[in-house]
Amino acid sequence: MSELVPLLQNISNGLLIGGVYALIGVGLTLVFGVMGTINFAHGDFVVLGMYSAVLFNAVFGWDPYISLLIAVPVGVLVGIAVERGILARIADAPPESAMLATLGISLIIGNGLLLTFGGEPKSVQVSYASSTLPIGPVNISIVLLLAGLATVLVILGLYMLLNRTEIGRAIRGTAENRLGAELVGINTKRIHSIVFGIGVSLAMTAGVTLIPMLFATPSATGAIFTLKAFVVTVLGGLGNIGAAIGGGVLLGLVEVLGASYLDAAYRDAYGLIAFLLILLLRPEGLFGSTVKRV
Amino acid sequence: MIRHFTVLGIAVLAGLAYPHLFPNALTIAISVLLFAGWATSWDILGGWAGQLSLGHAGFVGLGAYFVAIGQSDYGLAPWWAMMLAMIAAAALAFAWGRITFGLRGPYFTLSTIAVAEILRMIAINEGWLTGGATGVFIATLPEPFGIDLFSRVVHFHMALAFSVLTVAIVIIISQSRFGYQLRAVREDESSAMAAGINPVVVKLKAFMLSAALVALGGGIYGIFLSFLEPHILFYLFLSIQIALTAIIGGRGTIWGPSIGALLLIGSGEIFRAAFAQANLLIYGLLILVVILFLPRGIFGEIQRRAVRRRYARSTQG
């Protein structure tokens, strides 16, 4: 019994952290699934979300979750602008060009934030930062619980959007076959812009839910989140939204369990090792279908 | 080929004259030369074989740490340590390429970041081996033939030799059967297979060569720094810097990566003065310019215009 309680505690933490990872990964995998582009700036948009919460808190004293009201639409607009201004222009170039362009955007955002906010870590103090909710012997952090709830809501919303609306049908059609979608009258250029907008706002939402527990620092954190998003999507299967949720939860569990039962210093490495193992053994991801082999 | 070697010869002469002309500007020149060598080596895989790596800082770190630890813990002379580092880098590249080169899509690029990050975490956490997060210091170095390896002029000559070696290798590759195989794989793997080329083997060879050369440069960098910190050597942004230097200069060209290094690192001090730590901003802006307007990179675009002009002239007569 005495060993079971910490295990349950770890599993619940892992599940909740995994929820946030899933939220980060879903945006990346949605963009990849529809546009075929790996968005290297994804993590930087997460950091942008964190800084937007910091900014609104500093100026208006808002709770991070209230700043979502602004951050989500701003994210959509920023995403559409980036897609129209840069990615749409190189749609016919090899897919690598789009990847490099997003890498450039990542450097611009990270270093732009560094110039604007300086290098010191920033955070938002919330009154519930250290409160916990006891469920039986397990204590669940309110911050994590809120983040997990936000993830569930956002992913449910995304699911409804993709499966219950006309625009969702158009997005799925574009993902499946761009030319076919174009032939039945879908404006796939518009769909690409919208999808990138959704991807950016998902990343920013994830950033806002993370700010009560993590410090925002420019440049390097963006790369870390991008890497986490990659790991999540590859664990689940690239381009598959349902799988990204599984991948996120799995990454959360691997990290938390690895850190508490193996060596805590390698916390970030366990996810990467799992990622390489997946590439070696099952590159289509745990829940994915086939990947082309040479 | 002769033309390229003539240019290289002139560059070597200019390089040999440099320490006499500008004895106070050696550090920046060493950085330019090291980055020219790294970017050129990166380009064997990234440009000629078309496999984008964002993990080459891992090999830089490997080279530097082999030299430093070899010297401080085992009394191993740097040249032997560099050879070991090259073998280790090639072996790592082999194992890693075997896992990822069979897959199409962005998997290779994603894995490069992961491997370099794992190496960085090992360097930070395994203090008994690497000095941990504080790093490792090279206190003594042997003096082969009475050469002081702590002298900046010596560092300059080593960096010059390294970058010249990489460019010479690329000149030879560009004319060889291997070079044609690389380009065939880059353009279309299925067609390359139809022509009897095994893309996985070709990519593996390119990766191993690229990794070993970068590790050699990393060893020189280690001697140059003499104080190694894992946060700098295995840093993702060093990988990105190496890759973008080559791409902005001109991927898959002989001189593009070196020109990229000259432009970007040479002017790096100016950007550092203007943007302080945010100096990578300029890489972000330039890569967008290159992707949108100069898809072949700066040198690639110059080369293409020259070829076009020559062709236009030949058809007029």
Side-chain angles (χ1 to χ4, degrees), chain A residues 96 111 227 265-266 292 294, chain B residues 102 104 113 125-126 189 251:
Chain A
E96 228 175 61
N111 288 292
L227 202 55
Y266 282 100
K292 270 189 203 158
V294 173
Chain B
R104 285 189 190 187
I113 304 175
N125 291 316
E126 300 304 314
E189 292 192 7
R251 254 190 297 181

Side-chain angles (χ1 to χ4, degrees), chain B residues 12-295:
Chain B
V12 169
L13 289 178
L16 289 175
Y18 185 89
H20 302 286
L21 297 172
F22 306 101
N24 297 321
L26 284 178
T27 308
I28 182 91
I30 295 167
S31 299
V32 169
L33 288 169
L34 284 173
F35 268 93
W38 286 330
T40 307
S41 319
W42 179 91
D43 201 42
I44 297 173
L45 180 72
W48 295 86
Q51 305 300 310
L52 199 67
S53 159
L54 294 175
H56 265 51
F59 301 120
V60 173
L62 213 60
Y65 269 85
F66 263 70
V67 168
I69 297 165
Q71 182 65 45
S72 62
D73 291 5
Y74 303 98
L76 194 66
W79 45 94
W80 298 121
M82 280 188 215
M83 285 179 75
L84 284 178
M86 289 173 78
I87 294 168
L92 177 64
F94 178 78
W96 172 359
R98 280 304 295 263
I99 296 177
T100 51
F101 279 151
L103 304 168
R104 285 189 190 187
Y107 293 99
F108 173 69
T109 307
L110 299 185
S111 76
T112 56
I113 304 175
V115 173
E117 277 295 300
I118 292 173
L119 285 177
R120 187 170 71 96
M121 281 177 227
I122 293 173
I124 290 173
N125 291 316
E126 300 304 314
W128 57 273
L129 182 69
T130 62
T134 45
V136 47
F137 187 66
I138 304 178
T140 54
L141 282 170
E143 292 194 3
F145 314 111
I147 298 169
D148 174 17
L149 287 179
F150 283 113
S151 133
R152 277 281 175 268
V153 180
V154 173
H155 297 161
F156 176 85
H157 285 112
M158 288 196 293
L160 180 67
F162 167 60
S163 60
V164 167
L165 172 74
T166 58
V167 173
I169 287 174
V170 169
I171 292 174
I172 293 166
I173 285 178
S174 73
Q175 302 290 322
S176 72
R177 193 183 167 81
F178 179 52
Y180 287 102
Q181 289 174 340
L182 287 177
R183 274 169 279 184
V185 168
R186 174 183 69 194
E187 296 305 327
D188 187 340
E189 292 192 7
S190 307
S191 314
M193 278 166 86
I197 297 167
N198 183 342
V200 176
V201 170
V202 170
K203 288 191 274 187
L204 269 178
K205 280 189 200 163
F207 194 16
M208 290 165 71
L209 179 62
S210 173
L213 286 173
V214 170
L216 174 66
I220 297 169
Y221 193 47
I223 296 173
F224 166 64
L225 289 175
S226 82
F227 178 59
L228 313 186
E229 287 173 285
H231 296 288
I232 294 173
L233 283 162
F234 291 96
Y235 204 25
L236 175 62
F237 287 116
L238 178 59
S239 297
I240 292 179
Q241 225 177 341
I242 292 172
L244 293 193
T245 300
I247 295 168
I248 292 169
R251 254 190 297 181
T253 64
I254 293 168
W255 299 101
S258 305
I259 288 172
L262 201 61
L263 279 176
L264 284 163
I265 312 299
S267 53
E269 290 306 308
I270 302 167
F271 301 131
R272 213 177 292 272
F275 300 116
Q277 284 173 300
N279 57 356
L280 281 175
L281 187 63
I282 200 71
Y283 284 80
L285 294 170
L286 276 178
I287 191 71
L288 283 185
V289 169
V290 163
I291 292 289
L292 289 173
F293 306 111
L294 310 164

